[in-house]
């Protein structure tokens, strides 16, 4: 399917709002001054500000911003904040501009979003937009991937302190704690296909293909083709884990212990409850992961020219221009 190319915003001075997770920002006053001054210098109206809370990590704040007339919503926080805000923007004409402030940066790595504040603001000011698919799971939405099993165990075993000090290699340490866990028995059904039974370590349902550290798991995954990519990981020994990891690092055409499928409606049922994650953020454990794609559901502010299937291709251009 042809990938939709980027578009430019027609209103060059749109109304905006900022949804920020204060626990992810060292100096919210400085953040506010920087954002307000940058937008004012560009001729934009002053944005409205909304802070998330433990009880509401961003969804209602974003909904209120949209109801107040915002045409662009800046989301500043971790992947959990971004997910919550995204759920309120799905199906609207309001665009999301991400200012990553978390430690994982899984969304930023996949979608070409700079972790630098000035570059993130420049992306929004430049007006580049891209219509993305999102995945839907139990009333929530994700832009990168959902997962059940080993990947969620790895996230749970990786502390925020380790991520803050050493970055993405902290996930390797978390992964090592669970390499010898017993596999889960899963039944996977894609669209109206025949159910498949596997002894799997992880099932990943992805809109785009990068893991932490920029490692590409699914080379054909595209963010706006109306399809989700599914990876079933089945390594049963440490040697097979090593072979799988080496194949990913080398970007081999054939990687052992991985089966790849594509579909728009995916139902994964496990024989016992498993940890689950959306876009690198843990959700409650469960024995089912039922996901559907919503095509062309979200407008995202992206670097210009934003015409490559891999959004991260343009990421360095904006940062280098600052």
């Amino acid at each position: 399917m042809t990938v939709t190319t980027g578009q430019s915003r027609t209103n060059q001075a749109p109304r905006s709002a900022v949804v920020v997770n204060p626990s992810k920002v060292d100096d919210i006053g400085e953040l506010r001054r920087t954002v307000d001054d940058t937008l004012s210098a560009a001729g934009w109206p002053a944005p409205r500000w909304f802070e998330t809370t433990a009880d509401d990590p961003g969804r209602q704040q974003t909904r209120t911003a949209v109801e107040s007339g915002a045409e662009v919503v800046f989301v500043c926080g971790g992947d959990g904040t971004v997910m919550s805000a995204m759920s309120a923007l799905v199906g609207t004409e309001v665009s999301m501009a991400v200012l990553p402030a978390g430690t994982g940066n899984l969304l930023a790595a996949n979608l070409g979003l700079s972790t630098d504040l000035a570059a993130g603001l420049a992306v929004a000011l430049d007006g580049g937009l891209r219509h993305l698919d999102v995945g839907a799971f139990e009333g929530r939405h994700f832009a990168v991937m959902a997962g059940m099993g080993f990947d969620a165990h790895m996230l749970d075993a990786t502390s925020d302190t380790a991520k803050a000090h050493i970055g993405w290699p902290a996930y390797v340490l978390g992964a090592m704690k669970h390499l010898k866990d017993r596999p889960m028995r899963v039944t996977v059904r894609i669209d109206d296909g025949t159910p498949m039974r596997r002894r799997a370590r992880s099932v990943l349902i992805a809109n785009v293909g990068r893991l932490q550290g920029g490692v590409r798991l699914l080379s054909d995954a595209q963010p706006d083709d109306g399809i989700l990519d599914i990876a079933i990981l089945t390594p049963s020994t440490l040697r097979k884990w090593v072979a799988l990891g080496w194949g990913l690092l080398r970007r081999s055409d054939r990687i052992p212990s991985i089966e790849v499928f594509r579909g728009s409606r995916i139902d994964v049922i496990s024989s016992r409850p498993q940890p689950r994650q959306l876009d690198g953020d843990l959700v409650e454990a469960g024995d089912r992961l039922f996901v559907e794609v919503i095509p062309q559901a979200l407008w995202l502010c992206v670097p210009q020219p934003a015409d490559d299937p891999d959004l991260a291709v343009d990421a360095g251009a904006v940062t280098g221009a600052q």
Side-chain angles (χ1 to χ4, degrees):
M1 184 176 293
T2 302
V3 176
T4 305
T5 57
Q7 298 185 26
S8 295
R9 185 183 302 112
T10 55
N11 182 2
Q12 296 305 308
R15 289 172 292 177
S16 64
V18 181
V19 175
V20 58
N21 181 344
S23 70
K24 298 292 185 179
V25 179
D26 292 332
D27 188 339
I28 196 167
E30 178 62 25
L31 171 70
R32 185 163 187 156
R33 285 188 294 272
T34 299
V35 173
D36 286 352
D37 290 349
T38 300
L39 297 186
S40 176
W44 287 33
R48 294 191 63 186
W49 285 76
F50 301 87
E51 293 188 12
T52 67
T53 65
D55 293 332
D56 189 341
R59 187 166 186 164
Q60 184 56 51
Q61 293 89 337
T62 305
R63 185 177 291 123
T64 302
V66 172
E67 292 170 351
S68 71
E71 299 165 82
V72 179
V73 175
F74 293 89
V75 183
C76 185
D79 286 329
T81 307
V82 172
M83 270 199 310
S84 296
M86 181 173 61
S87 289
L89 295 176
V90 165
T92 74
E93 291 301 308
V94 179
S95 56
M96 181 172 71
V98 179
L99 305 176
T103 53
N105 297 324
L106 183 62
L107 185 66
N110 275 278
L111 301 184
L113 309 174
S114 174
T115 57
D116 176 74
L117 176 60
L121 290 169
V123 166
L125 292 174
D126 285 347
L129 297 173
R130 189 153 183 175
H131 228 171
L132 300 186
D133 305 332
V134 300
F137 165 75
E138 295 184 357
R140 288 168 282 192
H141 302 87
F142 63 93
V144 178
M145 65 180 65
M148 172 188 277
F150 172 79
D151 56 301
H153 274 302
M154 175 190 70
L155 292 169
D156 191 35
T158 305
S159 70
D160 288 340
T161 300
K163 288 185 288 185
H165 281 85
I166 64 176
W168 69 264
Y171 291 98
V172 177
L173 301 178
M176 291 177 66
K177 299 176 183 178
H178 291 281
L179 288 178
K180 294 184 178 180
D181 289 357
R182 66 189 178 106
M184 54 185 181
R185 296 180 182 273
V186 294
T187 300
V188 181
R189 187 174 187 182
I190 301 172
D191 297 328
D192 295 321
T194 302
M196 301 178 290
R197 291 174 175 80
R198 298 289 188 274
R199 287 174 58 85
R201 295 301 311 278
S202 184
V203 179
L204 293 166
I205 303 169
N207 191 34
V208 288
R210 279 191 179 84
L211 302 174
Q212 297 294 348
V215 176
R216 240 192 196 290
L217 175 68
L218 295 159
S219 58
D220 293 332
Q222 296 176 357
D224 50 6
D225 59 0
I227 296 292
L228 295 171
D229 291 61
I230 305 101
I232 303 176
L233 279 60
T234 58
S236 57
T237 65
L238 182 58
R239 177 177 294 181
K240 290 182 178 180
W241 270 118
V242 171
L244 187 158
W246 183 240
L248 289 175
L249 291 173
R250 295 184 62 193
R251 298 189 177 184
S252 303
D253 293 333
R254 297 178 63 86
I255 300 174
S257 303
I258 294 183
E259 294 180 275
V260 176
F261 305 91
R262 310 192 80 211
S264 59
R265 189 175 67 256
I266 302 95
D267 195 8
V268 183
I269 299 176
S270 172
S271 60
R272 64 184 190 276
Q274 298 290 333
R276 303 177 296 182
Q277 59 87 13
L278 303 178
D279 280 356
D281 200 60
L282 286 168
V283 298
E284 64 276 6
D287 59 5
R288 189 180 187 190
L289 186 66
F290 177 71
V291 169
E292 295 181 283
V293 68
I294 306 177
Q296 306 285 293
L298 177 73
W299 283 112
L300 181 73
C301 297
V302 296
Q304 296 277 26
D307 57 1
D308 192 286
D310 184 352
L311 289 176
V313 165
D314 296 320
V318 173
T319 304
Q322 302 309 304

